[in-house]
Amino acid sequence: MRDAAEQIREILGVKLKGRGMTALAAAVERGLPRRALVRAVERAGLTGTRRAQVMHRVVPAATFKRRTILKPHESEKTERLARVIALAEELWDDQTAAQEFLSTPHPELGGRTPIDCASTELGAREVEALVMRALHGLPV
């Protein structure tokens, strides 16, 4: 099992000043580069219209084109996506299977996809709880 902060950092493609969640939190507070959002959405296996929908929930299209560094609240949303992706990859231990999980509606999420749920903090917590139950062998 990899360190969660290291896995999230790798998904986002950012260098951290230090190690662990504290360094990740500091990077989010400073603002992540916009390419971190692109990398997270690509890692989730999203393409075309779905890719644009998820990205524009984090940063509107016109704003994204003008910005090189995300605002802290946009960085938080980006980190949240990466955190959910990292958990899915830990559960499935296979990037392709994790991508399928992220984009498939799940009954425990009210028929929504995990990646759509991750657009809010509460939704991301639901996905995290679902994945943690599966990791511990509980019914999902």
Side-chain angles (χ1 to χ4, degrees):
M1 184 172 168
R2 269 173 85 179
D3 174 67
E6 175 57 25
Q7 179 71 9
I8 295 166
R9 183 216 56 79
E10 192 247 308
I11 290 168
L12 296 172
V14 295
K15 293 190 185 237
L16 301 178
K17 297 177 181 176
R19 299 182 59 108
M21 286 297 187
T22 302
L24 182 59
V28 168
E29 288 173 17
R30 283 191 306 275
L32 297 172
R34 75 176 179 184
R35 77 176 181 282
L37 175 57
V38 173
R39 285 179 55 101
V41 173
E42 286 174 353
R43 184 73 167 254
L46 302 175
T47 58
T49 304
R50 287 291 296 136
R51 177 182 187 270
Q53 287 172 340
V54 171
M55 285 184 62
H56 298 152
R57 276 191 218 136
V58 175
V59 183
T63 304
F64 184 81
K65 290 177 186 175
R66 293 191 316 267
R67 190 151 313 137
T68 58
I69 302 294
L70 302 177
K71 299 282 185 188
H73 70 279
E74 297 160 344
S75 295
E76 287 176 355
K77 292 176 184 180
T78 301
E79 183 277 333
R80 183 172 57 226
L81 285 172
R83 184 172 6 114
V84 167
I85 294 164
L87 264 175
E89 289 179 359
E90 182 178 343
L91 172 63
W92 295 104
D93 199 27
D94 176 79
Q95 194 171 338
T96 303
Q99 290 171 347
E100 186 175 329
F101 167 76
L102 290 167
S103 62
T104 302
H106 197 285
E108 290 291 319
L109 301 173
R112 295 179 67 204
T113 67
I115 202 72
D116 286 336
C117 287
S119 67
T120 67
E121 184 61 32
L122 289 175
R125 288 181 186 189
E126 284 183 276
V127 176
E128 290 169 354
L130 174 69
V131 170
M132 294 309 288
R133 286 193 307 270
L135 283 169
H136 290 87
L138 300 172
V140 289

